[in-house]
Tab-separated table of all heavy atoms in Angstrom:
chain	number	residue	atom	x	y	z
A	47	VAL	N	1.154	14.592	1.850
A	47	VAL	CA	1.266	15.554	0.751
A	47	VAL	C	1.132	14.854	-0.604
A	47	VAL	O	0.362	15.286	-1.476
A	47	VAL	CB	2.604	16.314	0.828
A	47	VAL	CG1	2.798	17.187	-0.410
A	47	VAL	CG2	2.663	17.167	2.086
A	48	GLY	N	1.871	13.761	-0.795
A	48	GLY	CA	1.848	13.068	-2.072
A	48	GLY	C	0.475	12.529	-2.436
A	48	GLY	O	0.014	12.675	-3.577
A	49	ASN	N	-0.210	11.916	-1.479
A	49	ASN	CA	-1.509	11.321	-1.787
A	49	ASN	C	-2.613	12.361	-1.908
A	49	ASN	O	-3.594	12.131	-2.632
A	49	ASN	CB	-1.851	10.276	-0.721
A	49	ASN	CG	-1.011	9.023	-0.849
A	49	ASN	OD1	-1.179	8.239	-1.766
A	49	ASN	ND2	-0.076	8.843	0.089
A	50	ILE	N	-2.480	13.485	-1.236
A	50	ILE	CA	-3.417	14.585	-1.474
A	50	ILE	C	-3.281	15.075	-2.910
A	50	ILE	O	-4.277	15.364	-3.589
A	50	ILE	CB	-3.175	15.731	-0.473
A	50	ILE	CG1	-3.705	15.344	0.907
A	50	ILE	CG2	-3.855	17.019	-0.937
A	50	ILE	CD1	-3.463	16.392	1.972
A	51	LEU	N	-2.055	15.160	-3.408
A	51	LEU	CA	-1.839	15.570	-4.793
A	51	LEU	C	-2.459	14.567	-5.759
A	51	LEU	O	-3.029	14.956	-6.795
A	51	LEU	CB	-0.339	15.715	-5.072
A	51	LEU	CG	0.377	16.882	-4.379
A	51	LEU	CD1	1.871	16.846	-4.692
A	51	LEU	CD2	-0.221	18.218	-4.800
A	52	VAL	N	-2.356	13.264	-5.456
A	52	VAL	CA	-2.963	12.245	-6.309
A	52	VAL	C	-4.482	12.420	-6.355
A	52	VAL	O	-5.098	12.399	-7.434
A	52	VAL	CB	-2.608	10.836	-5.808
A	52	VAL	CG1	-3.407	9.776	-6.575
A	52	VAL	CG2	-1.121	10.570	-5.969
A	53	ILE	N	-5.094	12.617	-5.190
A	53	ILE	CA	-6.552	12.755	-5.125
A	53	ILE	C	-7.008	14.023	-5.840
A	53	ILE	O	-8.007	14.017	-6.578
A	53	ILE	CB	-7.010	12.753	-3.652
A	53	ILE	CG1	-6.711	11.386	-3.018
A	53	ILE	CG2	-8.498	13.059	-3.554
A	53	ILE	CD1	-6.947	11.345	-1.532
A	54	ILE	N	-6.280	15.123	-5.654
A	54	ILE	CA	-6.627	16.374	-6.346
A	54	ILE	C	-6.491	16.203	-7.856
A	54	ILE	O	-7.352	16.659	-8.632
A	54	ILE	CB	-5.739	17.526	-5.846
A	54	ILE	CG1	-6.068	17.853	-4.383
A	54	ILE	CG2	-5.921	18.772	-6.717
A	54	ILE	CD1	-5.171	18.916	-3.781
A	55	SER	N	-5.431	15.545	-8.291
A	55	SER	CA	-5.226	15.321	-9.730
A	55	SER	C	-6.364	14.494	-10.315
A	55	SER	O	-6.876	14.795	-11.400
A	55	SER	CB	-3.884	14.623	-9.964
A	55	SER	OG	-2.805	15.398	-9.488
A	56	TYR	N	-6.762	13.460	-9.607
A	56	TYR	CA	-7.859	12.628	-10.085
A	56	TYR	C	-9.165	13.414	-10.147
A	56	TYR	O	-9.932	13.292	-11.122
A	56	TYR	CB	-8.030	11.415	-9.168
A	56	TYR	CG	-9.243	10.567	-9.490
A	56	TYR	CD1	-9.211	9.645	-10.530
A	56	TYR	CD2	-10.411	10.705	-8.745
A	56	TYR	CE1	-10.330	8.868	-10.823
A	56	TYR	CE2	-11.530	9.938	-9.041
A	56	TYR	CZ	-11.487	9.026	-10.075
A	56	TYR	OH	-12.600	8.272	-10.372
A	62	LEU	N	-8.441	11.358	-16.372
A	62	LEU	CA	-8.145	10.361	-15.341
A	62	LEU	C	-9.422	9.722	-14.822
A	62	LEU	O	-9.451	8.515	-14.556
A	62	LEU	CB	-7.380	11.015	-14.186
A	62	LEU	CG	-5.946	11.445	-14.464
A	62	LEU	CD1	-5.353	12.139	-13.241
A	62	LEU	CD2	-5.075	10.252	-14.862
A	75	ALA	N	-4.887	5.791	-2.973
A	75	ALA	CA	-4.281	7.022	-2.464
A	75	ALA	C	-4.973	7.487	-1.188
A	75	ALA	O	-4.323	7.970	-0.254
A	75	ALA	CB	-4.336	8.116	-3.533
A	299	VAL	N	5.294	5.829	-1.676
A	299	VAL	CA	5.929	5.364	-2.908
A	299	VAL	C	5.014	5.537	-4.111
A	299	VAL	O	5.445	5.976	-5.187
A	299	VAL	CB	6.353	3.888	-2.761
A	299	VAL	CG1	6.793	3.314	-4.107
A	299	VAL	CG2	7.471	3.760	-1.737
A	300	ASN	N	3.724	5.206	-3.941
A	300	ASN	CA	2.809	5.234	-5.077
A	300	ASN	C	2.687	6.611	-5.735
A	300	ASN	O	2.692	6.692	-6.965
A	300	ASN	CB	1.433	4.720	-4.648
A	300	ASN	CG	1.451	3.241	-4.325
A	300	ASN	OD1	2.329	2.515	-4.774
A	300	ASN	ND2	0.505	2.800	-3.538
A	301	PRO	N	2.555	7.716	-4.990
A	301	PRO	CA	2.509	9.029	-5.662
A	301	PRO	C	3.742	9.316	-6.502
A	301	PRO	O	3.648	9.967	-7.552
A	301	PRO	CB	2.389	10.019	-4.491
A	301	PRO	CG	1.776	9.238	-3.388
A	301	PRO	CD	2.313	7.847	-3.545
A	302	ILE	N	4.903	8.840	-6.069
A	302	ILE	CA	6.123	9.037	-6.858
A	302	ILE	C	6.042	8.248	-8.160
A	302	ILE	O	6.409	8.745	-9.235
A	302	ILE	CB	7.355	8.608	-6.035
A	302	ILE	CG1	7.484	9.480	-4.779
A	302	ILE	CG2	8.623	8.694	-6.874
A	302	ILE	CD1	8.584	9.047	-3.841
A	303	ILE	N	5.525	7.016	-8.090
A	303	ILE	CA	5.382	6.199	-9.294
A	303	ILE	C	4.401	6.844	-10.262
A	303	ILE	O	4.653	6.905	-11.473
A	303	ILE	CB	4.932	4.776	-8.920
A	303	ILE	CG1	5.997	4.081	-8.061
A	303	ILE	CG2	4.643	3.949	-10.176
A	303	ILE	CD1	5.579	2.729	-7.558
A	304	TYR	N	3.272	7.336	-9.741
A	304	TYR	CA	2.294	7.985	-10.613
A	304	TYR	C	2.924	9.160	-11.352
A	304	TYR	O	2.735	9.334	-12.559
A	304	TYR	CB	1.094	8.506	-9.811
A	304	TYR	CG	0.356	7.465	-9.005
A	304	TYR	CD1	-0.415	7.829	-7.915
A	304	TYR	CD2	0.427	6.109	-9.318
A	304	TYR	CE1	-1.100	6.893	-7.165
A	304	TYR	CE2	-0.245	5.166	-8.576
A	304	TYR	CZ	-1.009	5.555	-7.498
A	304	TYR	OH	-1.673	4.634	-6.747
A	305	GLY	N	3.649	9.996	-10.612
A	305	GLY	CA	4.252	11.183	-11.215
A	305	GLY	C	5.288	10.848	-12.263
A	305	GLY	O	5.436	11.567	-13.260
A	306	TYR	N	6.006	9.748	-12.073
A	306	TYR	CA	7.043	9.367	-13.031
A	306	TYR	C	6.446	8.722	-14.275
A	306	TYR	O	6.901	8.970	-15.399
A	306	TYR	CB	8.029	8.396	-12.369
A	306	TYR	CG	9.072	7.861	-13.318
A	306	TYR	CD1	10.134	8.661	-13.762
A	306	TYR	CD2	8.993	6.556	-13.795
A	306	TYR	CE1	11.074	8.168	-14.638
A	306	TYR	CE2	9.941	6.066	-14.669
A	306	TYR	CZ	10.978	6.871	-15.089
A	306	TYR	OH	11.909	6.383	-15.959
A	308	ASN	N	3.052	8.734	-15.348
A	308	ASN	CA	1.821	9.259	-15.921
A	308	ASN	C	1.885	10.778	-16.037
A	308	ASN	O	1.980	11.482	-15.037
A	308	ASN	CB	0.630	8.847	-15.045
A	308	ASN	CG	-0.698	9.119	-15.725
A	308	ASN	OD1	-0.939	10.217	-16.220
A	308	ASN	ND2	-1.562	8.131	-15.738
A	309	ALA	N	1.805	11.277	-17.271
A	309	ALA	CA	1.901	12.716	-17.497
A	309	ALA	C	0.731	13.460	-16.870
A	309	ALA	O	0.894	14.582	-16.383
A	309	ALA	CB	1.952	13.003	-19.000
A	310	HIS	N	-0.459	12.853	-16.865
A	310	HIS	CA	-1.629	13.530	-16.301
A	310	HIS	C	-1.478	13.737	-14.795
A	310	HIS	O	-1.824	14.801	-14.267
A	310	HIS	CB	-2.895	12.716	-16.600
A	310	HIS	CG	-3.323	12.766	-18.023
A	310	HIS	ND1	-4.084	13.790	-18.545
A	310	HIS	CD2	-3.073	11.921	-19.054
A	310	HIS	CE1	-4.303	13.566	-19.830
A	310	HIS	NE2	-3.701	12.436	-20.158
A	311	TYR	N	-0.986	12.720	-14.097
A	311	TYR	CA	-0.759	12.891	-12.665
A	311	TYR	C	0.351	13.903	-12.409
A	311	TYR	O	0.256	14.738	-11.505
A	311	TYR	CB	-0.389	11.548	-12.021
A	311	TYR	CG	-1.583	10.703	-11.675
A	311	TYR	CD1	-1.813	9.491	-12.325
A	311	TYR	CD2	-2.483	11.106	-10.694
A	311	TYR	CE1	-2.910	8.708	-12.009
A	311	TYR	CE2	-3.579	10.327	-10.376
A	311	TYR	CZ	-3.790	9.128	-11.038
A	311	TYR	OH	-4.881	8.360	-10.728
A	312	ARG	N	1.405	13.833	-13.202
A	312	ARG	CA	2.520	14.757	-13.003
A	312	ARG	C	2.081	16.210	-13.198
A	312	ARG	O	2.416	17.089	-12.405
A	312	ARG	CB	3.649	14.394	-13.971
A	312	ARG	CG	4.920	15.196	-13.764
A	312	ARG	CD	6.086	14.579	-14.511
A	312	ARG	NE	5.856	14.474	-15.947
A	312	ARG	CZ	5.530	13.352	-16.570
A	312	ARG	NH1	5.350	12.239	-15.882
A	312	ARG	NH2	5.366	13.321	-17.879
A	313	VAL	N	1.307	16.454	-14.251
A	313	VAL	CA	0.802	17.805	-14.491
A	313	VAL	C	-0.210	18.187	-13.414
A	313	VAL	O	-0.268	19.341	-12.980
A	313	VAL	CB	0.172	17.892	-15.899
A	313	VAL	CG1	-0.542	19.218	-16.098
A	313	VAL	CG2	1.243	17.713	-16.963
A	314	GLY	N	-1.006	17.205	-12.965
A	314	GLY	CA	-1.952	17.483	-11.888
A	314	GLY	C	-1.244	17.915	-10.613
A	314	GLY	O	-1.717	18.819	-9.904
A	315	TYR	N	-0.104	17.295	-10.298
A	315	TYR	CA	0.682	17.716	-9.143
A	315	TYR	C	1.096	19.180	-9.298
A	315	TYR	O	0.981	19.987	-8.359
A	315	TYR	CB	1.961	16.870	-9.013
A	315	TYR	CG	1.746	15.406	-8.737
A	315	TYR	CD1	2.820	14.512	-8.796
A	315	TYR	CD2	0.495	14.897	-8.419
A	315	TYR	CE1	2.651	13.163	-8.551
A	315	TYR	CE2	0.319	13.552	-8.176
A	315	TYR	CZ	1.396	12.686	-8.243
A	315	TYR	OH	1.229	11.351	-8.000
A	316	GLN	N	1.573	19.523	-10.493
A	316	GLN	CA	2.069	20.887	-10.725
A	316	GLN	C	0.944	21.900	-10.651
A	316	GLN	O	1.131	23.000	-10.136
A	316	GLN	CB	2.770	20.941	-12.081
A	316	GLN	CG	4.037	20.092	-12.126
A	316	GLN	CD	4.601	19.952	-13.529
A	316	GLN	OE1	3.888	20.161	-14.510
A	316	GLN	NE2	5.866	19.602	-13.627
A	317	ARG	N	-0.223	21.534	-11.152
A	317	ARG	CA	-1.362	22.444	-11.065
A	317	ARG	C	-1.771	22.677	-9.613
A	317	ARG	O	-2.097	23.801	-9.226
A	317	ARG	CB	-2.536	21.872	-11.858
A	317	ARG	CG	-2.358	21.952	-13.361
A	317	ARG	CD	-3.522	21.300	-14.072
A	317	ARG	NE	-3.406	21.421	-15.516
A	317	ARG	CZ	-4.224	20.830	-16.381
A	317	ARG	NH1	-5.198	20.060	-15.926
A	317	ARG	NH2	-4.054	20.997	-17.679
A	318	ALA	N	-1.778	21.594	-8.830
A	318	ALA	CA	-2.159	21.724	-7.421
A	318	ALA	C	-1.166	22.595	-6.661
A	318	ALA	O	-1.551	23.472	-5.875
A	318	ALA	CB	-2.257	20.340	-6.782
A	319	VAL	N	0.130	22.368	-6.902
A	319	VAL	CA	1.157	23.179	-6.233
A	319	VAL	C	1.074	24.619	-6.702
A	319	VAL	O	1.190	25.564	-5.907
A	319	VAL	CB	2.558	22.596	-6.514
A	319	VAL	CG1	3.638	23.520	-5.972
A	319	VAL	CG2	2.687	21.217	-5.891
A	320	HIS	N	0.847	24.819	-8.005
A	320	HIS	CA	0.743	26.179	-8.546
A	320	HIS	C	-0.450	26.905	-7.953
A	320	HIS	O	-0.392	28.111	-7.683
A	320	HIS	CB	0.629	26.121	-10.071
A	320	HIS	CG	0.603	27.464	-10.729
A	320	HIS	ND1	-0.563	28.171	-10.924
A	320	HIS	CD2	1.603	28.236	-11.234
A	320	HIS	CE1	-0.284	29.314	-11.523
A	320	HIS	NE2	1.023	29.374	-11.715
A	321	GLY	N	-1.559	26.158	-7.731
A	321	GLY	CA	-2.743	26.790	-7.156
A	321	GLY	C	-2.542	27.201	-5.714
A	321	GLY	O	-3.090	28.215	-5.275
A	322	CYS	N	-1.762	26.415	-4.962
A	322	CYS	CA	-1.512	26.742	-3.551
A	322	CYS	C	-0.378	27.744	-3.385
A	322	CYS	O	-0.469	28.661	-2.564
A	322	CYS	CB	-1.205	25.468	-2.769
A	322	CYS	SG	-2.537	24.260	-2.732
Side-chain angles (χ1 to χ4, degrees):
V47 173
N49 288 289
I50 286 178
L51 291 177
V52 172
I53 295 172
I54 293 176
S55 300
Y56 174 80
L62 290 177
V299 170
N300 292 338
I302 298 174
I303 297 175
Y304 302 158
Y306 175 74
N308 192 310
H310 288 277
Y311 277 114
R312 186 167 59 257
V313 172
Y315 296 171
Q316 294 170 340
R317 287 177 177 173
V319 173
H320 184 272
C322 298

